[in-house]
Amino acid sequence: MKRHSFWLKILRYLWVSPISLGCTPLAALAWATGGHFALHSGVLEIWGGYIGKRLQQGLPLFGRVNAFTLGHVVIGVSPAHLAASRVHERVHVAQFERWGVLFPLVYAIAGWRAQRRGGHAYWDNPYEIAARQAAAQVQQIDLYSLQCDGEIKE
């Protein structure tokens, strides 16, 4: 069974690899401009430098963001921003693994459909809703684990 899951994981990486590989030069750009990068749970995380500043200034169509996922690459403003958005961004990694190189198109169509229904292309996009729900669920679990007989543990 483990052998099967190993090959399935490899296929997921290959399915998304054109996007992931296309974004890996962002690590060199971040590093050359004072930022950093590291592997975390199978994902290349890039932060700071020009990349972090650009995210704070805003991206076309998205505006200012803490982090942004492109395949198995997540770019963020800082390590703290990446940590705070890790669950949300890992949902997007899983969505990329499901749809592969088609995900940007699928995501854009979902946003367009949300707008056509009178919603917002980002906030009412079902892929963003799923990511926000996963992050909120983890936050609720964390808050619950802090409670002990109605009091907050210190």
Side-chain angles (χ1 to χ4, degrees):
M1 191 67 172
K2 280 190 172 197
R3 188 172 178 90
H4 175 72
S5 64
F6 170 78
W7 288 110
L8 187 57
K9 188 176 239 184
I10 295 295
L11 286 174
R12 287 182 181 145
Y13 275 88
L14 289 173
W15 177 227
V16 182
S17 66
I19 292 173
S20 302
L21 291 173
C23 295
T24 55
L26 294 175
L29 175 61
W31 182 76
T33 57
H36 300 281
F37 60 93
L39 282 176
H40 188 287
S41 60
V43 173
L44 176 62
E45 292 186 340
I46 305 168
W47 67 90
Y50 174 79
I51 301 294
K53 288 176 186 159
R54 187 69 183 112
L55 293 177
Q56 286 180 316
Q57 291 170 352
L59 298 175
L61 304 176
F62 292 96
R64 292 172 54 155
V65 296
N66 292 327
F68 194 83
T69 300
L70 295 160
H72 287 98
V73 177
V74 177
I75 57 175
V77 173
S78 69
H81 287 89
L82 286 168
S85 62
R86 192 161 281 133
V87 172
H88 179 104
E89 300 305 328
R90 290 312 187 268
V91 170
H92 290 315
V93 170
Q95 292 165 345
F96 265 101
E97 288 179 344
R98 178 177 183 196
W99 290 99
V101 296
L102 300 175
F103 184 60
L105 177 63
V106 170
Y107 182 97
I109 290 170
W112 175 76
R113 290 182 70 200
Q115 274 189 314
R116 293 237 1 201
R117 290 190 303 269
H120 190 275
Y122 176 80
W123 293 106
D124 298 316
N125 188 311
Y127 296 103
E128 287 301 329
I129 292 169
R132 286 195 305 272
Q133 286 174 340
Q137 191 173 28
V138 168
Q139 287 175 341
Q140 287 175 351
I141 291 168
D142 288 347
L143 289 175
Y144 179 76
S145 68
L146 291 174
Q147 294 180 356
C148 178
D149 297 327
E151 296 179 10
I152 302 293
K153 294 179 186 178
E154 295 191 40

